Each structure stands twice: as structure tokens, then as C-alpha cells.
Amino acid sequence: MRYAQGGGLTDERRAFREKLRMEACERFVHGDENAVIARDLRVSVRSVQRWHRAWSQGGPRALTSKGPASLPLLSDELFAVLEQELAKGPVARGWPDQTWTLSRIKTLIGRRFHKSYTVQGVAALLKRHGWSCQVPARRAVERDGGGGEGDLAERGRTVAALGAWLVFEDEAGFSMTPPTTRTWSRRGHTPAVRVRGRSRRRLSVAALACYKPGERSRLIYRSCPDARPDGRKSFSWKDYRDLIQTAHQQLGGPIVLVWDNLNTHLTAGMRRYIAERDWLTVYRLPPYTPDLNPVEGIWSVLRRTTTANRAFADPQDLITAVRRGLRQLQYRHDVLDGCLTGTGLSLASP
């Protein structure tokens, strides 16, 4: 039997199919019916009938694999070179955007290796080597790529040395106009959800995601409505100070705090407060790196569940819904751990 390489069969897959045919040979010798063999081997009856004809004419040797019908145009070694070229991105090869399409990869193969592929052949080639068509993640152009991973490793060593909690902080705003998520509807009839037309922010929330090897993850938060007596619509450095102090009391141990470069985090009062606390060590995330902060995942979960597709009656209804969602997340330690895993970071017990 011979299978085309272009169909995507690997050596392991061809060996597996040959094993099925050899099992069918043993059943042919015992005189089992084709339908019974097909049911037991979970293949089609037509395939078993074809095997039976070949076995009747040439015996078991007629069912052994002859290998691929032809060698692939790109060997595994050449495909590794192609992967290196693809990793450079389409812009490096003269295309205006950052999208690899099948036609562009076909052109790249022709230019780099002087081999002709069809678009369908390129798709089969990529799938055979574990590639797929995906929605890319966005990353800011201004992001500082230098020193980020090393800085995170340094925080891990600090946490281990101090036996401290690793705490990530972030803020988010919630408005009367909620995010929309997918909902079921009849085909051809786009569903509509009723929301408030005013999108002005009504609530700010600062949250701390707390992790420590051997301990359950924690979520500590503080909300700030925009209607405050002092007229301020966001957190002051004193609000962050009180939140950190509350976390220290609840966690009962040293804290390694990781947050962004918000101007409120850099005020003189906050710097003085940090310097006077020996139990508090602070690191700042590199610019434009929200994907390294697990609290961003918590905001995503909150917006896709508690506040999605909901018409809030008044600002107090919004505040109640957000607080209820955060309280529920406080008991979902698996979700909090998943938000940390989503950043690519992990905590291992020493």
C-alpha cells in the first residue's frame, strides 16, 4: 500500500495504518467477515474490502507500507530554515503588514528555496509541521523589550529569599456602558442588548493579586466611585498606601509588590512610604507590558462575566455588580492561578 506524502501522513501515522492492515490479515486467515473486522478496527467497510482483495492476490506482503509516494519538496531540514525565515516576520521580507498568508509563504518558498508549491500544498505542509492559522496577540510598539525577563527572574529570587508574597497591582475603570459578549440568536438575526448610552466612567477599582508557594492565591481590592467629596475621580497615593497596608495585615508577611509606572505610584509620598517599610519591596513593570500582569486577566474575566451585556439602573447598581463579581473571584483560586499562568509566569515551591 502507498500513501501520498502530500496528504499529511507522517512516518508514525503510516506505521499505525500498516499495523491495522496486519491485524486485518490475521482476521482474514480466520475467515472473519469484512463488516466485523471494520467495526472492530474502527475503519470503513470499503477499506477492509480493498485490503481483502489485495491480500487475496498477494498475501500479507501486499499490505505492507511502501513508504511515501514521493519525497516532500521541503525536507525537515529545509522546513527548519523556513521557520527561521517566518520568525523574522513579513515586514522583513518587504510586505507592508505583519500577516503571514498562504500566498505569501508560497512566494517566500519560491524565492528562498526555488521550489514551487500550490496554496493547498503550503497549507498541508504547515499543518504537517504543527502550524495553524491563529488570531495574533497585540503588543505595543513602544514596549521595552530589554531586561524584562531578567527583571522578573530577579523578583522571583527576592520572593524566595524573603519568604514573601508576590503581589501584582493594577487599576481599571468601569462605566455605565458595559462590554458586550457573545450570545445565541437565530441565524441572520443579529441580537441587540440594551445598555446605557452614557459611557462616562463611574467607578475605579484597584486590585492586588497575591501569590506565594504553598499558599492559596488571594485577591484584595478597593473601589473608588468618581463622586468623591474632594472631587478626585481616581485613586490618590494615600489610597494605594491604605490598600498595601491592608494587604500586609491580611497576608501576614513580607510583600514584593509589582506594579506599573503610573504617576501616582511615583509620588514623593509613596516613595517615602515604601522606603520606611522594611517588609515592602517594590518593582516596576517595564513600559507597555500589561501581558505580564495577572490582574489584567482578572479584569478580563470580570468584564466577560459579571458586567457583560447588562443595563445598569444607576451608578450604585454598577458598583454593586462589580463588587459582587470581585467577591466571587476571591473564592475562585483556580481562576486567580490561571491568570498568573496566562502571563507565562509560575511559582514553584522552594
Side-chain angles (χ1 to χ4, degrees):
M1 302 293 290
R2 190 179 293 272
Y3 293 97
Q5 179 71 14
L9 287 180
T10 62
D11 294 337
E12 294 77 8
R13 192 63 183 174
R14 281 194 298 274
F16 172 75
R17 292 196 175 189
E18 182 179 4
K19 180 182 177 182
L20 290 179
R21 295 193 297 272
M22 292 302 102
E23 292 180 5
C25 280
E26 299 177 359
R27 305 288 292 272
F28 294 154
V29 174
H30 292 85
D32 293 347
E33 296 182 358
N34 292 340
V36 177
I37 298 175
R39 182 192 62 198
D40 295 342
L41 298 182
R42 301 179 68 180
V43 296
S44 66
V45 177
R46 181 170 298 181
S47 295
V48 177
Q49 292 173 346
R50 186 173 63 252
W51 298 347
H52 192 276
R53 286 194 300 268
W55 173 79
S56 300
Q57 297 173 2
R61 293 186 57 183
L63 297 179
T64 57
S65 176
K66 308 288 189 306
S70 61
L71 294 176
L73 293 179
L74 284 186
S75 63
D76 293 341
E77 293 76 13
L78 291 181
F79 187 83
V81 178
L82 176 62
E83 284 189 308
Q84 296 176 3
E85 296 293 334
L86 294 175
K88 297 177 182 178
V91 177
R93 285 295 177 176
W95 281 285
D97 57 52
Q98 304 174 69
T99 303
W100 277 123
T101 62
L102 293 177
S103 60
R104 289 181 178 181
I105 298 176
K106 172 180 177 292
T107 303
L108 176 62
I109 293 174
R111 293 175 180 175
R112 182 65 175 79
F113 304 103
H114 305 288
K115 296 182 182 295
S116 178
Y117 264 89
T118 64
V119 173
Q120 294 81 2
V122 173
L125 173 69
L126 295 176
K127 291 178 180 178
R128 189 162 59 246
H129 287 84
W131 284 59
S132 64
C133 187
Q134 305 176 29
V135 178
R138 294 184 298 180
R139 177 172 293 187
V141 175
E142 302 88 347
R143 174 170 174 169
D144 180 11
E149 295 182 359
D151 203 16
L152 290 174
E154 180 63 29
R155 296 166 200 166
R157 288 192 290 270
T158 303
V159 170
L162 298 178
W165 286 81
L166 180 60
V167 178
F168 293 87
E169 190 276 339
D170 193 50
E171 314 84 19
F174 296 87
S175 68
M176 295 290 290
T177 301
T180 56
T181 58
R182 294 184 178 184
T183 182
W184 286 93
S185 179
R186 184 181 297 275
R187 290 182 180 179
H189 298 269
T190 303
V193 293
R194 298 175 62 85
V195 299
R196 291 289 175 180
R198 296 181 179 180
S199 59
R200 186 167 65 90
R201 188 176 65 180
R202 295 285 185 174
L203 179 68
S204 298
V205 179
L208 302 176
C210 313
Y211 304 94
K212 184 178 181 180
E215 299 284 347
R216 283 191 170 187
S217 52
R218 309 280 187 87
L219 174 63
I220 303 173
Y221 66 91
R222 181 182 293 268
S223 59
C224 171
D226 66 350
R228 301 178 64 174
D230 57 0
R232 188 181 180 91
K233 297 183 179 181
S234 60
F235 289 93
S236 66
W237 75 268
K238 294 182 179 180
D239 295 321
Y240 291 112
R241 175 201 63 189
D242 296 341
L243 178 60
I244 296 171
Q245 191 67 36
T246 300
H248 177 57
Q249 295 174 357
Q250 294 186 14
L251 300 176
I255 291 176
V256 174
L257 178 63
V258 182
W259 58 11
D260 54 24
N261 294 279
L262 186 68
N263 56 0
T264 314
H265 299 164
L266 307 177
T267 59
M270 178 57 68
R271 292 200 302 268
R272 185 168 55 253
Y273 173 80
I274 295 172
E276 294 173 353
R277 269 65 186 176
D278 56 356
W279 49 265
L280 179 60
T281 305
V282 176
Y283 290 92
R284 291 195 295 272
L285 286 168
Y288 302 100
T289 54
D291 52 315
L292 298 180
N293 195 334
V295 185
E296 292 286 350
I298 294 174
W299 301 140
S300 178
V301 172
L302 193 63
R303 290 190 170 100
R304 286 186 286 109
T305 55
T306 305
T307 63
N309 295 353
R310 177 168 176 173
F312 298 104
D314 50 46
Q316 186 58 42
D317 187 22
L318 169 65
I319 295 173
T320 302
V322 172
R323 287 178 176 174
R324 182 184 298 113
L326 289 171
R327 283 198 300 270
Q328 292 173 351
L329 287 175
Q330 285 180 322
Y331 296 97
R332 295 295 305 276
H333 308 288
D334 56 334
V335 176
L336 300 180
D337 293 338
C339 293
L340 179 64
T341 304
T343 64
L345 307 176
S346 61
L347 289 178
S349 300

